[in-house]
Structures are given as structure tokens and as C-alpha cells.
Amino acid sequence: MLARTYGMPYGARLTEQGVCFRLWAPSCKQVGLRLADGQHEQVLAMDARGGGWFELTASQAGAGTRYRFEVNGDLRVPDPASRFNPDDVHGASEVIDPAAFAWQDATWRGRSWEEAVIYELHVGTFSPEGTFTGVAQRLDYLVELGVTAIELMPVADFPGTRNWGYDGVLPYAPDSRYGRPDDLKALVQAAHARGLMVLLDVVYNHFGPEGNYLHVYAKDFFTEHHHTPWGAAINFDGRNSREVREFFIHNAMYWLQEYHFDGLRLDAVHAIIDDSSPHILIELARRVHAGIGRERHVHLILENDANSARYLEQELYVAQWNDDIHHALHVLATGERDGYYMDYADDPVRHLGRCLTEGFAYQGEVSAYREQTVRGETSTNLPLQAFVSFLQSHDQAGNRAFGERITHIGQEDVVRAAVAVYLLAPSIPMLFMGEEFASKSPFQFFCDFGEELRKAVTQGRRREFARFARFNDATMEAAIPDPNAPQTFLISKIDWSSLEEEKHGGWLDYYRKLLKLRRDVLMPRLPGMKGRPAQFEVFAPGGLRVQWQLGDGSTLRLLANFSRESVRADLPGGRIVFASLPDSASSDTAKNTLGPCSVVWALEPLPSASETRTPGSANEQ
């Protein structure tokens, strides 16, 4: 039996003498440990160890023991480093023996980043069960689709029965609604057995608004010196910040070691403010790569609205979500110009071309949406695999008022063209659950806060859309779904039965063909692309021509027309490996005229003898 245990310097740790409990509570003079034994509870005084630390080894405690800490006299709080909180964030924590799970994936070393095809999913809405086990039951489907990595939206314990996960308050504890810790480990192990990487979304920029007690007994966890959209920032650079930094660094190491995750996606790092050196993002990545990263492939990914390239340049973070390419494709597919889409509405094809060849569309240009401020850093020196491209994500669906997916609001032929572009381009593609069959289900913003927060959250959600013209009308604003209503969550669950319908099955076939082509033809040629040249040209309204030199020296070419009119265009040189063309455009293409909403991919030189088949060379409908 292979056991994986991460030795945290706090929380509850099993020893030969019992369970060692440690808590950092610098705002307290004394702390009690409350142990539950059936209906009986006892309170034990913890020993002060200096520096705000309190510790006690309890011989009467063991795996399964429920416990809480007693601070400020009689306030009972869960362990901030709890491995499991079966009764939600206000309840008692449970002592977990991490060594009890029998791992059987000792030979797993992960996969190289160039092989990544990511599938983002929300555990609670991905399956009817809404559990880790429910996800595991559909892993074979994901393998057949062509996915090589699943990315779980945050699973850290959040308040209530439903949440996106970004309101977590116990960052070491998988939420009990999804299952027990061993259920999550079983999911990771089952994925590895099928060759799938598992990535986890983590939130290090704030805690949720309900169930976070750190401000009571560890006030130095936060600082008024910096502020974020959630209030006082997490203290990464002030007094006592060393312990705060360690809390999050250990959290990253814990998920990677004890749960054997293959990587982490760090949420909204532009809201992590740190004026010290090294920046917390640098220190965290260095620690990961110096430890676990020496043993196997470990991938750290960023979400950063500031388009900062600096963390990617140091090769500590392998990639960053590229919102720019989503926004450009979204404008092309829908024509929307409100909100942040205004920055891409002037020339979406040009923005798309820049994303496909240089990474970011905004590399120091002025953003009108951000009140004429400069956004972004130069990214032309980075490999294109440093950028994660997507047409949908939890944000881009869920942050819409009604949670509409791109196939609900976009022109279908343009969406099909966009899919053929982003899935076969050299950047790393990411799908959002259900995208591959044009899921009927929306993905709305949902939560389950206590009574005090419910009204404020609902009102705040409606105020978010004040900058969108369609919601200036009070009736439309009032129609925005209530995040706290159970139906808002239930309607967001994937409707798998729609796969029985011809339309949705057709979309699934389309995605499968494209991802097979990526695996067979493109993926082997990606390693070594760093520093390779790429160029693009907007040759007509809606017309885009792109060329890349791949890692093996071959040339990949794209010809796309996103307009409603045929355009004059010479076909790209090399072998046509994929063409997505309307039936009416086929004859025009032979005459060097590219029909509306068409995409052609070509590769030069000819592939090796082992690639005798020409996948996708016929029209793909």
C-alpha cells in the first residue's frame, strides 16, 4: 500500500501519542481544544508556544474525532487547516488519517504540458449526483472525447450546500457535499489510471464572506494597507506575514502531495497584493518546483486580468488563462459590445490574430473598459503553450446575467468556425463542461449563504450589470436569477440526456474529430516552439491568415473567414488537414474563394509515413 501524507505544521496530526493539534492565534492569550465524544464534549487548555502558536497532543483523540477550537472565551471555531468538516464551515472539524487511503498510481509521473487538453468542470453540476464519485463515473467519456486533463473548480469547503467554490473558507478541506477526502483521492487515482491529469482551482486572494473566523483570533491574516474587491487584503507583506505566506504555500504543497494533483490553477492573482520580495507567487512556485516538481510533472497556471507576462517568463508558471482570445471570439460570434467586450469590438479579427501568434491582445495598450488605463505586458517572447485558450469558461458563462453559453447566444456557423480555430491552434485549449455537445443547460451564478448575506448578495449581483445597456430597464434587472434560490443551482446541472438528440450528438462528433486531429497531427510537433516565429494577416473583413513554425520545424497555416461574405483567398500551402466549410462554399474554395464562416488548416512539410490518413479533410458539418 502506498500512502501519501503531507506534514503540515498546523491542524491535526496523528502521532503515536495521540493527535497533535496546532493553531496560530496571535490575537488570543489562551485557546481551548474542544473534543467531541458522542454527546459529551470536553475542553482542554492548549499550551502557548510563542509567536502566537498554541499546541496540544491529546491521547484520547484519533482518526474520526470531532474537534473545535475555543477562542475569545467561548467562541467555537473550526480548524482553519481542517482536512474535513462534515457539518459545513461552522461545524466541528474531523481528524483524518491521510495514510489510510491506499494509492495505486505509484508509476504515474504526469504528462508534459504540450499534451494538455483541459476540461473545466464544477463538481456539483457536472453529474446528477454532484459528487466526486459522479465525476469519476464519466472519466471514460472524457478520454473518448480527447481530453487529457480535467480541471476542478474550487472544492475547498464553502458555506451552505451549493457554491461555485470561490467563497471557500477552509482551504484544506474538500467540501462535504461532494464527498469525503478519500472520494476525491479515488477520483484522482481513477483519472491517472486513464492517463488523465487532474488540476485543481485554488483561491489565494480572499476568503468567502461567511464562515471565516480568522479575523477573530488571527487578525494579522489581513491588512488594511491593501484592499481588494472583497475588502481588506490577505496580508502577504506586513507584520506576521511569514505565517500567512506559509499557510498558502503549504496549502499548494498539500494538494499536490497528499491528493496527487497534477497542477493548480491560481484564481485572480491580480488581486494578490504583495510589495515584498520575493512576491508570494514567486516563492510559492519555487517551493513547489524544488520539492514535488522534481519528482514528476507539476503544472502551475495563473488567472491574471492584468495580462502580466513576468511570471511566465521565469518558467515558474507554465501558462495563464487568456481572456483576450475568448473576448475576441465572443465578439465575432455574438456581436456583443457591452462591458469588457468594448475593448475588442473595434477589430475582433485583429485581436484574435494577435492572440494566436503573440499570446495577449493587450500588451501595454490602453483599455477603454478600464477607464483608459494601460493593460498588459509584452508576451511575444513566450511560447504559445504559455496561454490557455477557450471559447467558454465558468466565468464567461456564469458571469452573464442568465448564464447563457455561447451556443445559446452566438451564430452557430461562427461558433463552429471559432471552435475549429481554438482547438487546433498551438496554444493549450480548454473546454468548459458540456461545451462539446452544445449543452442546453445554462451555468448561472449560485450560492447558499445564511440569512444575513442573502439579500445583499442578490442585490449586489443585480448591480453588477449596471454597465450593460440591456439591464438599464428595471424589469430586466429584476429578472436576473436569485443566486441563493435552489433552482438557480439545479438549472445549471448538465443535461446529459440531450446527447440522445441529433443536434447535440453532432456537436460531440465535431469536437471529437478536432481533438483527435490535435492529438495525432499537432501535439507531437509542439515541443520546442519557444522563440519560433509566427505571423498573422487580416486580409479582408473577417478574413484571417496565420502561420506558425512548429517545434519540429514544420509550418502550420490557418485560413479563416468569419464574415457572412465569400472572400478571395489563396489556399494555404501544404497538405490540407482540416477544412470546416459550408456545403455551398466547397466549389468556391477550389477557385481560391473562401466561403462564409470557413476554416482551413494546412501543414507543411507532409507528415511522416505513419500519418497516412487525412483526418477532417472532407467538409465537417
Side-chain angles (χ1 to χ4, degrees), residues 285-334:
R286 286 175 177 170
R287 293 266 290 272
V288 166
H289 290 303
I292 299 165
R294 298 177 64 181
E295 304 169 1
R296 56 186 171 93
H297 291 292
V298 172
H299 308 300
L300 299 180
I301 307 149
L302 298 174
E303 181 201 19
N304 189 344
D305 184 68
N307 276 11
S308 301
R310 67 192 76 172
Y311 304 114
L312 304 173
E313 291 170 345
Q314 301 182 48
E315 297 185 353
L316 294 172
Y317 291 87
V318 70
Q320 183 167 305
W321 277 25
N322 192 357
D323 280 342
D324 285 355
I325 196 168
H326 168 273
H327 296 348
L329 290 170
H330 185 95
V331 171
L332 285 168
T334 67

CSV table of all heavy atoms in Angstrom, one decimal, residues 285-334:
chain,number,residue,atom,x,y,z
A,285,ALA,N,5.8,29.2,-6.1
A,285,ALA,CA,6.2,28.4,-7.3
A,285,ALA,C,7.6,27.8,-7.1
A,285,ALA,O,7.8,26.6,-7.4
A,285,ALA,CB,6.2,29.2,-8.6
A,286,ARG,N,8.5,28.5,-6.5
A,286,ARG,CA,9.9,28.0,-6.3
A,286,ARG,C,9.8,26.8,-5.3
A,286,ARG,O,10.5,25.8,-5.5
A,286,ARG,CB,10.8,29.1,-5.8
A,286,ARG,CG,11.2,30.1,-6.8
A,286,ARG,CD,12.0,31.2,-6.2
A,286,ARG,NE,12.5,32.2,-7.1
A,286,ARG,CZ,13.0,33.4,-6.8
A,286,ARG,NH1,13.2,33.7,-5.6
A,286,ARG,NH2,13.4,34.2,-7.8
A,287,ARG,N,9.0,26.9,-4.3
A,287,ARG,CA,8.9,25.9,-3.3
A,287,ARG,C,8.3,24.6,-3.9
A,287,ARG,O,8.8,23.5,-3.7
A,287,ARG,CB,8.1,26.3,-2.1
A,287,ARG,CG,8.8,27.4,-1.3
A,287,ARG,CD,9.5,26.9,-0.1
A,287,ARG,NE,8.7,26.4,0.9
A,287,ARG,CZ,8.1,27.1,1.9
A,287,ARG,NH1,8.3,28.4,2.0
A,287,ARG,NH2,7.4,26.5,2.8
A,288,VAL,N,7.3,24.8,-4.8
A,288,VAL,CA,6.7,23.6,-5.4
A,288,VAL,C,7.6,22.9,-6.3
A,288,VAL,O,7.8,21.7,-6.3
A,288,VAL,CB,5.4,24.1,-6.2
A,288,VAL,CG1,5.0,23.0,-7.1
A,288,VAL,CG2,4.3,24.5,-5.2
A,289,HIS,N,8.3,23.7,-7.2
A,289,HIS,CA,9.2,23.1,-8.1
A,289,HIS,C,10.5,22.5,-7.5
A,289,HIS,O,11.0,21.5,-8.0
A,289,HIS,CB,9.6,24.1,-9.2
A,289,HIS,CG,8.5,24.4,-10.1
A,289,HIS,ND1,7.8,23.5,-10.8
A,289,HIS,CD2,7.9,25.6,-10.4
A,289,HIS,CE1,6.9,24.1,-11.6
A,289,HIS,NE2,6.9,25.4,-11.3
A,290,ALA,N,10.9,23.0,-6.4
A,290,ALA,CA,12.1,22.5,-5.6
A,290,ALA,C,11.7,21.2,-4.9
A,290,ALA,O,12.6,20.4,-4.6
A,290,ALA,CB,12.6,23.5,-4.7
A,291,GLY,N,10.4,21.0,-4.7
A,291,GLY,CA,10.0,19.8,-3.9
A,291,GLY,C,9.3,18.8,-4.9
A,291,GLY,O,10.0,18.0,-5.6
A,292,ILE,N,8.0,18.9,-4.9
A,292,ILE,CA,7.3,17.9,-5.7
A,292,ILE,C,7.6,18.0,-7.2
A,292,ILE,O,7.6,16.9,-7.9
A,292,ILE,CB,5.7,18.1,-5.4
A,292,ILE,CG1,5.4,17.9,-3.9
A,292,ILE,CG2,4.9,17.2,-6.3
A,292,ILE,CD1,4.1,18.5,-3.5
A,293,GLY,N,7.9,19.2,-7.7
A,293,GLY,CA,8.1,19.3,-9.1
A,293,GLY,C,9.4,18.7,-9.6
A,293,GLY,O,9.6,18.5,-10.8
A,294,ARG,N,10.2,18.2,-8.7
A,294,ARG,CA,11.5,17.5,-9.1
A,294,ARG,C,11.2,16.0,-9.3
A,294,ARG,O,12.0,15.3,-9.9
A,294,ARG,CB,12.5,17.6,-8.0
A,294,ARG,CG,13.0,19.1,-7.7
A,294,ARG,CD,14.0,19.1,-6.6
A,294,ARG,NE,15.2,18.5,-6.9
A,294,ARG,CZ,16.2,18.4,-6.1
A,294,ARG,NH1,16.2,18.9,-4.8
A,294,ARG,NH2,17.3,17.7,-6.4
A,295,GLU,N,10.0,15.5,-8.8
A,295,GLU,CA,9.7,14.1,-8.9
A,295,GLU,C,8.8,13.8,-10.1
A,295,GLU,O,8.8,12.6,-10.6
A,295,GLU,CB,9.0,13.7,-7.6
A,295,GLU,CG,9.8,14.0,-6.4
A,295,GLU,CD,8.9,13.8,-5.1
A,295,GLU,OE1,7.7,13.4,-5.3
A,295,GLU,OE2,9.4,14.1,-4.0
A,296,ARG,N,8.0,14.7,-10.6
A,296,ARG,CA,7.1,14.5,-11.7
A,296,ARG,C,6.6,15.8,-12.3
A,296,ARG,O,7.0,16.8,-11.8
A,296,ARG,CB,5.8,13.7,-11.1
A,296,ARG,CG,5.1,14.4,-10.0
A,296,ARG,CD,4.0,13.6,-9.4
A,296,ARG,NE,3.4,14.1,-8.2
A,296,ARG,CZ,2.4,14.9,-8.1
A,296,ARG,NH1,1.7,15.3,-9.3
A,296,ARG,NH2,1.9,15.4,-7.0
A,297,HIS,N,5.8,15.7,-13.4
A,297,HIS,CA,5.3,16.9,-14.0
A,297,HIS,C,4.3,17.5,-13.0
A,297,HIS,O,3.3,16.9,-12.6
A,297,HIS,CB,4.6,16.5,-15.3
A,297,HIS,CG,5.5,16.1,-16.4
A,297,HIS,ND1,6.4,16.9,-17.0
A,297,HIS,CD2,5.6,14.9,-17.0
A,297,HIS,CE1,7.0,16.3,-18.0
A,297,HIS,NE2,6.6,15.0,-18.0
A,298,VAL,N,4.5,18.8,-12.7
A,298,VAL,CA,3.6,19.6,-11.9
A,298,VAL,C,3.4,20.9,-12.6
A,298,VAL,O,4.4,21.6,-12.9
A,298,VAL,CB,4.1,19.8,-10.5
A,298,VAL,CG1,3.2,20.8,-9.8
A,298,VAL,CG2,4.2,18.5,-9.7
A,299,HIS,N,2.2,21.3,-12.9
A,299,HIS,CA,1.9,22.4,-13.7
A,299,HIS,C,1.1,23.5,-12.9
A,299,HIS,O,0.1,23.2,-12.3
A,299,HIS,CB,1.0,22.1,-14.9
A,299,HIS,CG,1.6,20.9,-15.7
A,299,HIS,ND1,2.8,21.0,-16.3
A,299,HIS,CD2,1.1,19.7,-16.0
A,299,HIS,CE1,3.1,19.9,-17.0
A,299,HIS,NE2,2.0,19.1,-16.8
A,300,LEU,N,1.7,24.7,-12.8
A,300,LEU,CA,1.1,25.8,-12.1
A,300,LEU,C,0.6,26.8,-13.2
A,300,LEU,O,1.3,27.2,-14.0
A,300,LEU,CB,2.1,26.5,-11.2
A,300,LEU,CG,2.7,25.6,-10.1
A,300,LEU,CD1,3.6,26.4,-9.2
A,300,LEU,CD2,1.6,25.0,-9.2
A,301,ILE,N,-0.7,27.2,-13.1
A,301,ILE,CA,-1.4,28.0,-14.0
A,301,ILE,C,-1.9,29.2,-13.3
A,301,ILE,O,-2.4,29.1,-12.2
A,301,ILE,CB,-2.5,27.2,-14.7
A,301,ILE,CG1,-1.9,25.9,-15.3
A,301,ILE,CG2,-3.2,28.0,-15.8
A,301,ILE,CD1,-2.9,24.8,-15.3
A,302,LEU,N,-2.0,30.3,-14.0
A,302,LEU,CA,-2.5,31.6,-13.4
A,302,LEU,C,-3.7,32.1,-14.2
A,302,LEU,O,-3.9,31.9,-15.4
A,302,LEU,CB,-1.4,32.7,-13.5
A,302,LEU,CG,-0.1,32.5,-12.8
A,302,LEU,CD1,0.9,33.6,-13.1
A,302,LEU,CD2,-0.3,32.4,-11.3
A,303,GLU,N,-4.6,32.7,-13.4
A,303,GLU,CA,-5.6,33.6,-14.0
A,303,GLU,C,-5.1,35.0,-13.6
A,303,GLU,O,-5.0,35.3,-12.4
A,303,GLU,CB,-7.0,33.4,-13.5
A,303,GLU,CG,-8.0,34.3,-14.1
A,303,GLU,CD,-9.3,34.4,-13.4
A,303,GLU,OE1,-9.3,34.1,-12.2
A,303,GLU,OE2,-10.3,34.9,-13.9
A,304,ASN,N,-4.9,35.9,-14.5
A,304,ASN,CA,-4.4,37.3,-14.2
A,304,ASN,C,-5.0,38.3,-15.2
A,304,ASN,O,-4.6,38.4,-16.3
A,304,ASN,CB,-2.9,37.2,-14.3
A,304,ASN,CG,-2.3,38.5,-13.8
A,304,ASN,OD1,-2.9,39.5,-13.6
A,304,ASN,ND2,-1.0,38.5,-13.5
A,305,ASP,N,-6.0,39.0,-14.7
A,305,ASP,CA,-6.6,40.0,-15.6
A,305,ASP,C,-5.7,41.1,-16.0
A,305,ASP,O,-6.0,41.8,-17.0
A,305,ASP,CB,-7.8,40.6,-14.8
A,305,ASP,CG,-8.6,41.6,-15.7
A,305,ASP,OD1,-9.3,41.1,-16.7
A,305,ASP,OD2,-8.6,42.8,-15.4
A,306,ALA,N,-4.6,41.3,-15.3
A,306,ALA,CA,-3.6,42.4,-15.7
A,306,ALA,C,-2.8,42.0,-16.9
A,306,ALA,O,-2.0,42.8,-17.3
A,306,ALA,CB,-2.7,42.7,-14.5
A,307,ASN,N,-2.9,40.8,-17.4
A,307,ASN,CA,-2.0,40.3,-18.5
A,307,ASN,C,-0.6,40.5,-18.2
A,307,ASN,O,0.2,40.9,-19.1
A,307,ASN,CB,-2.4,41.1,-19.8
A,307,ASN,CG,-3.6,40.5,-20.5
A,307,ASN,OD1,-4.3,39.6,-20.0
A,307,ASN,ND2,-3.8,40.9,-21.7
A,308,SER,N,-0.2,40.1,-17.0
A,308,SER,CA,1.3,40.2,-16.6
A,308,SER,C,2.0,39.0,-17.2
A,308,SER,O,1.6,37.8,-17.0
A,308,SER,CB,1.4,40.2,-15.1
A,308,SER,OG,0.7,41.3,-14.5
A,309,ALA,N,3.1,39.3,-17.9
A,309,ALA,CA,3.8,38.2,-18.5
A,309,ALA,C,5.0,37.8,-17.7
A,309,ALA,O,5.6,36.7,-17.9
A,309,ALA,CB,4.4,38.6,-19.9
A,310,ARG,N,5.3,38.5,-16.6
A,310,ARG,CA,6.6,38.3,-15.9
A,310,ARG,C,6.7,37.0,-15.2
A,310,ARG,O,7.7,36.4,-15.1
A,310,ARG,CB,6.7,39.4,-14.8
A,310,ARG,CG,5.7,39.4,-13.7
A,310,ARG,CD,5.7,40.6,-12.9
A,310,ARG,NE,5.0,41.7,-13.6
A,310,ARG,CZ,4.8,42.9,-13.0
A,310,ARG,NH1,5.1,43.1,-11.8
A,310,ARG,NH2,4.2,43.8,-13.7
A,311,TYR,N,5.5,36.5,-14.7
A,311,TYR,CA,5.6,35.2,-14.0
A,311,TYR,C,5.7,34.0,-15.0
A,311,TYR,O,6.3,32.9,-14.6
A,311,TYR,CB,4.3,35.0,-13.2
A,311,TYR,CG,4.0,36.1,-12.2
A,311,TYR,CD1,3.0,36.9,-12.4
A,311,TYR,CD2,4.9,36.3,-11.2
A,311,TYR,CE1,2.7,38.0,-11.5
A,311,TYR,CE2,4.7,37.3,-10.3
A,311,TYR,CZ,3.6,38.2,-10.4
A,311,TYR,OH,3.4,39.2,-9.5
A,312,LEU,N,5.4,34.2,-16.2
A,312,LEU,CA,5.5,33.2,-17.3
A,312,LEU,C,7.0,33.2,-17.8
A,312,LEU,O,7.5,32.2,-18.2
A,312,LEU,CB,4.5,33.4,-18.4
A,312,LEU,CG,3.1,33.4,-18.0
A,312,LEU,CD1,2.2,33.9,-19.2
A,312,LEU,CD2,2.6,32.1,-17.4
A,313,GLU,N,7.6,34.4,-17.8
A,313,GLU,CA,8.9,34.5,-18.3
A,313,GLU,C,9.9,33.7,-17.5
A,313,GLU,O,10.9,33.2,-18.0
A,313,GLU,CB,9.3,36.0,-18.4
A,313,GLU,CG,8.6,36.8,-19.4
A,313,GLU,CD,8.8,38.2,-19.3
A,313,GLU,OE1,9.3,38.7,-18.2
A,313,GLU,OE2,8.5,39.0,-20.3
A,314,GLN,N,9.7,33.6,-16.2
A,314,GLN,CA,10.6,32.9,-15.3
A,314,GLN,C,10.4,31.4,-15.3
A,314,GLN,O,11.1,30.7,-14.5
A,314,GLN,CB,10.4,33.5,-13.9
A,314,GLN,CG,10.7,35.0,-13.8
A,314,GLN,CD,10.6,35.5,-12.4
A,314,GLN,OE1,11.2,34.9,-11.4
A,314,GLN,NE2,9.9,36.6,-12.2
A,315,GLU,N,9.4,30.9,-16.0
A,315,GLU,CA,9.1,29.5,-16.2
A,315,GLU,C,8.7,28.8,-14.9
A,315,GLU,O,8.9,27.6,-14.7
A,315,GLU,CB,10.3,28.8,-16.8
A,315,GLU,CG,10.6,29.2,-18.2
A,315,GLU,CD,11.7,28.4,-18.9
A,315,GLU,OE1,12.3,27.6,-18.2
A,315,GLU,OE2,11.9,28.7,-20.1
A,316,LEU,N,8.2,29.6,-13.9
A,316,LEU,CA,7.7,29.1,-12.7
A,316,LEU,C,6.3,28.7,-12.9
A,316,LEU,O,5.8,27.7,-12.3
A,316,LEU,CB,7.9,30.1,-11.6
A,316,LEU,CG,9.3,30.4,-11.2
A,316,LEU,CD1,9.4,31.5,-10.1
A,316,LEU,CD2,10.0,29.2,-10.6
A,317,TYR,N,5.6,29.4,-13.7
A,317,TYR,CA,4.2,29.1,-14.1
A,317,TYR,C,4.2,28.8,-15.5
A,317,TYR,O,4.7,29.5,-16.4
A,317,TYR,CB,3.3,30.3,-13.8
A,317,TYR,CG,3.1,30.6,-12.3
A,317,TYR,CD1,4.1,31.3,-11.6
A,317,TYR,CD2,2.1,30.0,-11.6
A,317,TYR,CE1,4.0,31.5,-10.2
A,317,TYR,CE2,2.0,30.1,-10.2
A,317,TYR,CZ,2.9,30.9,-9.5
A,317,TYR,OH,2.8,31.1,-8.2
A,318,VAL,N,3.5,27.6,-15.8
A,318,VAL,CA,3.6,27.1,-17.2
A,318,VAL,C,2.7,27.8,-18.1
A,318,VAL,O,2.9,27.8,-19.3
A,318,VAL,CB,3.3,25.6,-17.1
A,318,VAL,CG1,1.8,25.3,-16.8
A,318,VAL,CG2,3.7,24.9,-18.4
A,319,ALA,N,1.6,28.4,-17.6
A,319,ALA,CA,0.6,29.0,-18.5
A,319,ALA,C,-0.3,30.0,-17.7
A,319,ALA,O,-0.3,30.0,-16.5
A,319,ALA,CB,-0.2,28.0,-19.2
A,320,GLN,N,-1.1,30.7,-18.5
A,320,GLN,CA,-2.0,31.7,-18.0
A,320,GLN,C,-3.3,31.6,-18.8
A,320,GLN,O,-3.2,31.5,-20.1
A,320,GLN,CB,-1.4,33.1,-18.0
A,320,GLN,CG,-2.3,34.1,-17.4
A,320,GLN,CD,-1.6,35.4,-17.1
A,320,GLN,OE1,-0.5,35.4,-16.4
A,320,GLN,NE2,-2.0,36.5,-17.6
A,321,TRP,N,-4.4,31.7,-18.2
A,321,TRP,CA,-5.7,31.8,-18.9
A,321,TRP,C,-5.6,33.1,-19.8
A,321,TRP,O,-5.2,34.2,-19.3
A,321,TRP,CB,-6.9,31.9,-18.0
A,321,TRP,CG,-7.4,30.6,-17.5
A,321,TRP,CD1,-6.7,29.5,-17.4
A,321,TRP,CD2,-8.7,30.3,-17.0
A,321,TRP,NE1,-7.5,28.5,-16.9
A,321,TRP,CE2,-8.7,29.0,-16.6
A,321,TRP,CE3,-9.8,31.1,-16.8
A,321,TRP,CZ2,-9.8,28.4,-16.1
A,321,TRP,CZ3,-11.0,30.5,-16.3
A,321,TRP,CH2,-11.0,29.1,-15.9
A,322,ASN,N,-6.1,33.0,-21.1
A,322,ASN,CA,-6.0,34.1,-22.0
A,322,ASN,C,-7.4,34.6,-22.2
A,322,ASN,O,-8.1,34.2,-23.2
A,322,ASN,CB,-5.3,33.7,-23.3
A,322,ASN,CG,-5.0,34.9,-24.1
A,322,ASN,OD1,-5.3,36.1,-23.8
A,322,ASN,ND2,-4.3,34.7,-25.2
A,323,ASP,N,-7.9,35.5,-21.4
A,323,ASP,CA,-9.2,36.1,-21.6
A,323,ASP,C,-9.3,36.8,-22.9
A,323,ASP,O,-10.4,36.9,-23.5
A,323,ASP,CB,-9.6,37.1,-20.5
A,323,ASP,CG,-10.0,36.4,-19.2
A,323,ASP,OD1,-10.4,35.2,-19.3
A,323,ASP,OD2,-10.0,37.0,-18.1
A,324,ASP,N,-8.2,37.4,-23.4
A,324,ASP,CA,-8.3,38.1,-24.7
A,324,ASP,C,-8.8,37.3,-25.8
A,324,ASP,O,-9.6,37.8,-26.6
A,324,ASP,CB,-6.9,38.6,-25.0
A,324,ASP,CG,-6.4,39.8,-24.1
A,324,ASP,OD1,-7.2,40.3,-23.3
A,324,ASP,OD2,-5.3,40.2,-24.3
A,325,ILE,N,-8.4,36.1,-26.0
A,325,ILE,CA,-8.8,35.3,-27.1
A,325,ILE,C,-10.3,34.9,-27.0
A,325,ILE,O,-11.0,34.9,-28.0
A,325,ILE,CB,-7.9,34.0,-27.3
A,325,ILE,CG1,-8.2,33.5,-28.7
A,325,ILE,CG2,-8.2,33.0,-26.2
A,325,ILE,CD1,-7.2,32.4,-29.1
A,326,HIS,N,-10.7,34.7,-25.7
A,326,HIS,CA,-12.2,34.4,-25.5
A,326,HIS,C,-13.0,35.7,-26.0
A,326,HIS,O,-14.0,35.5,-26.7
A,326,HIS,CB,-12.5,34.1,-24.1
A,326,HIS,CG,-14.0,34.2,-23.8
A,326,HIS,ND1,-14.6,35.3,-23.5
A,326,HIS,CD2,-14.9,33.2,-23.9
A,326,HIS,CE1,-15.9,35.1,-23.3
A,326,HIS,NE2,-16.1,33.8,-23.6
A,327,HIS,N,-12.6,36.8,-25.5
A,327,HIS,CA,-13.3,38.0,-25.8
A,327,HIS,C,-13.4,38.3,-27.3
A,327,HIS,O,-14.5,38.7,-27.8
A,327,HIS,CB,-12.7,39.2,-25.1
A,327,HIS,CG,-12.8,39.1,-23.6
A,327,HIS,ND1,-13.5,38.1,-22.9
A,327,HIS,CD2,-12.1,39.8,-22.6
A,327,HIS,CE1,-13.3,38.3,-21.6
A,327,HIS,NE2,-12.5,39.3,-21.4
A,328,ALA,N,-12.3,38.1,-28.0
A,328,ALA,CA,-12.3,38.4,-29.5
A,328,ALA,C,-13.2,37.4,-30.2
A,328,ALA,O,-14.0,37.8,-31.0
A,328,ALA,CB,-10.9,38.2,-30.0
A,329,LEU,N,-13.1,36.1,-29.8
A,329,LEU,CA,-14.0,35.1,-30.4
A,329,LEU,C,-15.5,35.3,-30.1
A,329,LEU,O,-16.4,35.2,-30.9
A,329,LEU,CB,-13.6,33.7,-30.0
A,329,LEU,CG,-12.3,33.2,-30.5
A,329,LEU,CD1,-11.9,31.9,-29.8
A,329,LEU,CD2,-12.4,32.9,-32.0
A,330,HIS,N,-15.7,35.8,-28.8
A,330,HIS,CA,-17.1,36.1,-28.4
A,330,HIS,C,-17.7,37.2,-29.2
A,330,HIS,O,-18.9,37.1,-29.6
A,330,HIS,CB,-17.1,36.4,-26.9
A,330,HIS,CG,-18.5,36.6,-26.3
A,330,HIS,ND1,-19.1,35.5,-25.7
A,330,HIS,CD2,-19.3,37.6,-26.3
A,330,HIS,CE1,-20.3,36.0,-25.3
A,330,HIS,NE2,-20.5,37.2,-25.7
A,331,VAL,N,-16.9,38.3,-29.4
A,331,VAL,CA,-17.5,39.4,-30.2
A,331,VAL,C,-17.8,38.9,-31.6
A,331,VAL,O,-18.8,39.3,-32.2
A,331,VAL,CB,-16.5,40.5,-30.2
A,331,VAL,CG1,-16.9,41.6,-31.2
A,331,VAL,CG2,-16.3,41.1,-28.8
A,332,LEU,N,-16.9,38.1,-32.2
A,332,LEU,CA,-17.1,37.6,-33.6
A,332,LEU,C,-18.4,36.8,-33.6
A,332,LEU,O,-19.2,36.8,-34.6
A,332,LEU,CB,-15.9,36.8,-34.0
A,332,LEU,CG,-14.7,37.5,-34.4
A,332,LEU,CD1,-13.5,36.6,-34.6
A,332,LEU,CD2,-14.9,38.3,-35.7
A,333,ALA,N,-18.6,35.9,-32.6
A,333,ALA,CA,-19.8,35.0,-32.6
A,333,ALA,C,-21.1,35.7,-32.3
A,333,ALA,O,-22.2,35.2,-32.7
A,333,ALA,CB,-19.5,33.8,-31.7
A,334,THR,N,-21.1,36.7,-31.4
A,334,THR,CA,-22.3,37.3,-30.9
A,334,THR,C,-22.5,38.7,-31.3
A,334,THR,O,-23.7,39.2,-31.3
A,334,THR,CB,-22.3,37.3,-29.4
A,334,THR,OG1,-21.3,38.2,-28.9
A,334,THR,CG2,-22.0,35.9,-28.9
